[in-house]
Amino acid sequence: MKATKSGKKRLVPLQREQAVHLLRAMLRIRRLEETCAELYTASKIRGFLHLYDGEEAVAVGVMEALTPDDAVVATYREHGHALIRGVAMGAILAEMYGKQEGCSRGRGGSMHLFDDETRFYGGNAIVGGGLPVAVGLALADKMQQRSRVTCCFFGDGAVAEGEFHESLNLAALWQLPVLFVCENNLYAMGTALRYTQALQDLTKKAQSYNIPAVAVDGMDVLAVVSAARKAAKAVRAGAGPYFLECRTYRFRAHSMYDAELYRTKDEVESWKERCPIKTFTRQIKENGVVTEADIAAVEQDVEQEIQEAVAFAEAGSWEPVEDLARFVYSERRTP
Amino acid sequence: MTDGIVKMRTITYREAVREAICEALQKDHQVFLMGEDVGRYGGCFAVSKGLLDEFGPERIRDTPLSESGFVGAGIGAALGGMRPIVEIMTVNFSLLAADQIVNNAATYLHMSGGLFNVPLVIRSATGAGRQLAAQHSHSLEGWYAHVPGIRVLSPATVEDARGMLWTALEDPDPVLIFENNGLYNREGEIPVDAGPVDIDRARIRRPGRDITIITYSASLFKSLEAAEILAKEEVEAEVIDLRSLRPLDAPTFLESVARTHRALVVDEGWRSGSLAAEVSARIMEEAFYELDAPVQRLCSAEVPIPYAKHLEDAALPQVSTIVAQARRMVAGHG
């Protein structure tokens, strides 16, 4: 990684392997989300479903900076985070089906994906609710002298919550290893940032807590990788928390129930021009990093993974109703 | 303990809680205490006085006044392998952290299909009677007892104040311990070698045959006092201390009611939707044909607890009202 003439940190020279890896990761999310939408329409998936199309570069870019020992705390729009963190696509889809083979045994659904092996701590439907938990995970690491990062994803809507401010203050006060990643997609559900924030520059808010904060183009996966690596490196080195604002956009409605009355088709279309997958693909093709054949191979692989994941979810089983009350309290408690 | 003689000593409820925290910090290096004013100030009820000097600021952690933030941090720390004791100054302030307690701590295990348990202990003062007015006097522990996924404890005796904490810390699930602020100065006897106690079972604190008074926390002592007055009138009241508000140990009070045939529930919470309502309903459901009189409840008046002493007294169950109600129940029916 070195700085370009424009001062932007770039992964240059971008190797074919790395380019294919990033493209594959973003495509996996995109195709998973498209499949979820289809399955929702087919009534295979129910409940709230919040899709991530358009924001792929954020999850993919940030996750590049993490190691398996790190922890991830996410929101209700977390299919992509779970997938790229390493949760099997089949287990994610089975969860949305409500099958016991799901990563949360069908107890959580779309908004509450969990996985202990990859230290993926959900899946939180309360905007801002994951931030204090991330602070605590980082506190545990610091108290146990472990060099780990807790990465906390949240949207711009969470910035209006008290928990955002409490968490940033606490993390900065105690110099805790938290990487706060704000996915600023400009809308808190259906209300634009300008109607909810007196100060719309979110990095300034973080800076006011004495936290290093930068904004990055969340539609550019290389820019996100670069910024996230720098951020994670600082956090891992013990410099305390770091705030990364990824300016992004969701191409679909907030959820499947959303009629999208609050934004114009033109606005959505203009952002789609900046699609992180489309622009990245063009970039690596034009620069001769990958060939058409490479891209076709990736697409084919992803398609196969999708088919296998759907088959896995379809073949899954329902947890016996007799087990309804399991996992309210721990089973390993000895009375 | 030698030759069956238990050596006893007298300590206050405050000292009992403090000893329990101290012991936990010594026993397990993953344990730490965090909350508002717990360190340099010494605890707003002086429970943690001196602990900062003994254990240092890493383990006796002063927090900002941000209940949601530090309770959530406690959840995360528990997920990360620590054993946090989080102190919320009063149950009234816990409402600022209700999101973390109800939506996160209580749900993670279930929502994750058993993957993530939250071994967190939250301590908080509760209760009225000290002329602190509405926002420092409410008894909201019954609200938390509504929520599956958490355990809610209410130590009344010095022995429980001393012994419940360690058991709670060993529990893999989130446990809320509500300490009545009117009890901190109360003295009691405990064995010199007192240790952990169970957190599952209710206790019969006074056996009796004519009526069962079911209660918990500070109302236990009012009920015991009332029972002594009733005894002089040859009414023998059995007094049950619930101790655990969730899960409720219903068999203990149902068996008692089957013997005494009358039940009076005394609860400092408000009557509507109270814990007393739950206890009462369970008796109706499972012991209705044992009853010689309708179950009665003595709860706080349905007002925000007032400041003026005579009004505050009138809002709370008192010894005199417990005696009068029990007397009516025994005389009036069956």
Side-chain angles (χ1 to χ4, degrees):
Chain A
M1 214 185 323
K2 64 182 181 187
T4 60
K5 276 177 195 160
S6 65
K8 239 183 175 179
K9 294 240 173 179
R10 282 295 189 186
L11 296 163
V12 280
L14 185 63
Q15 301 295 330
R16 174 173 168 270
E17 197 184 332
Q18 172 75 351
V20 167
H21 163 74
L22 294 173
L23 178 64
R24 183 193 309 273
M26 289 195 290
L27 266 178
R28 288 176 74 216
I29 299 179
R30 179 66 59 92
R31 284 294 293 124
L32 172 64
E33 298 297 55
E34 285 167 357
T35 306
C36 286
E38 288 161 19
L39 293 167
Y40 195 89
T41 310
S43 291
K44 297 281 188 180
I45 295 174
R46 297 280 80 194
F48 279 132
L49 186 71
H50 309 92
L51 301 177
Y52 198 64
D53 306 51
E55 304 189 24
E56 294 90 346
V58 179
V60 169
V62 170
M63 231 61 93
E64 282 295 298
L66 304 182
T67 73
D69 277 347
D70 296 335
V72 176
V73 176
T75 66
Y76 54 86
R77 195 185 300 286
E78 90 285 27
H79 307 162
H81 305 102
L83 184 70
I84 301 308
R85 183 58 189 165
V87 185
M89 193 187 279
I92 293 172
L93 265 185
E95 184 58 33
M96 288 189 251
Y97 270 66
K99 301 281 179 76
Q100 60 181 340
E101 289 78 10
C103 58
S104 308
R105 291 184 68 98
R107 306 294 174 111
S110 162
M111 296 186 285
H112 306 297
L113 306 175
F114 286 88
D115 184 53
D116 55 348
E117 280 176 21
T118 58
R119 302 198 71 219
F120 190 75
Y121 292 93
N124 199 315
I126 308 296
V127 170
L131 279 92
V133 176
V135 168
L137 281 161
L139 174 62
D141 286 335
K142 181 158 184 173
M143 290 184 82
Q144 294 172 89
Q145 280 114 41
R146 292 186 295 234
S147 177
R148 288 170 166 179
V149 173
T150 296
C151 177
C152 182
F153 291 94
F154 53 97
D156 48 286
V159 173
E161 295 272 354
E163 281 175 325
F164 167 84
H165 300 274
E166 295 187 19
S167 299
L168 265 67
N169 181 52
L170 211 51
L173 186 69
W174 292 346
Q175 287 293 286
L176 301 177
V178 190
L179 172 54
F180 292 104
V181 180
C182 179
E183 303 185 311
N184 181 1
N185 65 17
L186 304 175
Y187 293 90
M189 221 174 126
T191 302
L193 204 62
R194 65 183 179 279
Y195 300 122
T196 59
Q197 290 290 339
L199 172 67
Q200 287 168 51
D201 185 341
L202 305 184
T203 60
K204 274 193 187 164
K205 286 178 201 279
Q207 281 159 357
S208 80
Y209 291 102
N210 243 345
I211 293 177
V214 297
V216 64
D217 179 2
M219 307 304 271
D220 178 348
V221 70
L222 294 179
V224 178
V225 172
S226 180
R229 284 193 177 155
K230 188 180 166 196
K233 192 177 168 193
V235 172
R236 212 180 297 284
Y242 198 105
F243 180 92
L244 188 61
E245 178 194 347
C246 298
R247 294 185 177 159
T248 184
Y249 197 82
R250 59 171 161 74
F251 293 165
R252 290 181 195 255
H254 165 73
S255 77
M256 299 301 274
Y257 290 96
D258 171 7
E260 276 196 281
L261 304 172
Y262 49 86
R263 60 186 195 181
T264 64
K265 282 206 170 72
D266 285 351
E267 181 185 305
V268 179
E269 289 310 312
S270 70
W271 276 91
K272 280 186 176 173
E273 286 305 306
R274 298 184 51 207
C275 168
I277 299 174
K278 204 158 80 178
T279 53
F280 183 66
T281 308
R282 192 191 309 132
Q283 194 183 344
I284 56 180
K285 247 167 45 181
E286 282 173 3
N287 286 305
V289 181
V290 297
T291 62
E292 284 286 356
D294 289 331
I295 294 167
V298 168
E299 282 172 349
Q300 199 182 341
D301 286 354
V302 172
E303 196 47 49
Q304 189 176 342
E305 186 186 13
I306 292 277
Q307 283 175 19
E308 285 169 9
V310 172
F312 178 81
E314 285 284 340
S317 53
W318 305 112
E319 183 157 359
V321 172
E322 295 72 49
D323 287 353
L324 171 67
R326 284 185 73 191
F327 314 123
V328 177
Y329 296 98
S330 298
E331 288 168 3
R332 57 193 173 81
R333 179 179 191 255
T334 45
Chain B
M1 210 194 298
T2 47
D3 302 332
I5 299 161
V6 181
K7 271 197 174 176
M8 303 294 283
R9 65 191 173 113
T10 303
I11 58 170
T12 63
Y13 188 94
R14 171 184 294 105
E15 286 160 351
V17 178
R18 189 184 173 285
E19 273 186 18
I21 296 171
C22 219
E23 179 198 47
L25 287 160
Q26 283 161 353
K27 263 189 182 173
D28 183 348
H29 282 277
Q30 307 304 100
V31 171
F32 68 101
L33 175 71
M34 126 170 107
E36 295 151 336
D37 275 345
V38 299
R40 288 143 189 100
Y41 186 91
C44 72
F45 295 101
V47 167
S48 51
K49 204 172 170 191
L51 295 185
L52 177 67
D53 291 338
E54 198 175 339
F55 295 99
E58 273 283 296
R59 300 185 71 201
I60 306 296
R61 230 165 233 278
D62 279 319
T63 63
L65 306 183
S66 59
E67 287 82 359
S68 195
F70 69 74
V71 169
I75 293 169
L79 287 167
M82 299 297 289
R83 289 278 164 156
I85 304 170
V86 175
E87 178 175 315
I88 303 177
M89 208 177 276
T90 87
V91 67
N92 305 269
F93 309 160
S94 78
L95 300 189
L96 285 104
D99 167 53
Q100 289 297 327
I101 298 170
V102 177
N103 285 320
N104 283 351
T107 61
Y108 272 6
L109 183 70
H110 192 79
M111 288 198 313
S112 68
L115 293 180
F116 291 119
N117 58 298
V118 182
L120 168 71
V121 173
I122 298 173
R123 297 172 39 245
S124 188
T126 183
R130 298 174 68 236
Q131 283 195 266
L132 299 176
Q135 292 177 348
H136 281 78
S137 300
H138 290 151
S139 296
L140 305 175
E141 54 275 10
W143 286 9
Y144 290 104
H146 178 67
V147 182
I150 51 182
R151 288 177 184 278
V152 180
L153 307 181
S154 173
T157 65
V158 167
E159 187 189 20
D160 280 353
R162 176 72 180 76
M164 279 182 167
L165 182 74
W166 183 253
T167 318
L169 281 166
E170 289 201 304
D171 197 286
D173 299 316
V175 182
L176 275 59
I177 304 180
F178 290 102
E179 299 157 10
N180 192 292
N181 62 40
L183 294 177
Y184 282 120
N185 288 329
R186 196 182 175 91
E187 289 187 335
E189 276 204 328
I190 56 168
V192 171
D193 61 351
V197 297
D198 89 283
I199 56 171
D200 293 318
R201 310 292 296 177
R203 290 271 164 77
I204 297 171
R205 296 291 186 196
R206 182 191 192 280
R209 58 166 196 268
D210 299 317
I211 183 169
T212 300
I213 301 176
I214 302 156
T215 187
Y216 66 93
S217 196
S219 298
L220 170 66
F221 299 102
K222 291 177 180 174
S223 299
L224 288 169
E225 208 180 316
E228 291 309 310
I229 294 167
L230 290 163
K232 290 180 187 134
E233 302 168 18
E234 298 191 351
V235 171
E236 290 296 332
E238 181 146 299
V239 178
I240 290 179
D241 175 5
L242 289 172
R243 301 177 69 250
S244 170
L245 309 186
R246 183 173 193 105
L248 265 179
D249 173 19
T252 297
F253 64 75
L254 292 171
E255 282 159 23
S256 172
V257 172
R259 279 184 275 109
T260 66
H261 308 294
R262 290 175 182 81
L264 170 62
V265 192
V266 182
D267 174 5
E268 249 189 65
W270 292 298
R271 184 187 191 90
S272 301
S274 58
L275 189 77
E278 177 61 29
V279 172
S280 170
R282 296 224 193 170
I283 295 169
M284 299 297 191
E285 286 167 348
E286 294 179 49
F288 180 79
Y289 294 107
E290 300 288 353
L291 292 172
D292 284 345
V295 177
Q296 296 291 328
R297 289 181 286 154
L298 280 173
C299 300
S300 284
E302 306 230 36
V303 296
I305 304 296
Y307 160 74
K309 184 163 193 324
H310 69 294
L311 294 177
E312 186 184 41
D313 286 347
L316 301 173
Q318 300 293 353
V319 175
S320 58
T321 51
I322 299 169
V323 169
Q325 184 61 262
R327 199 183 277 147
R328 272 197 298 275
M329 290 171 70
V330 174
H333 299 273

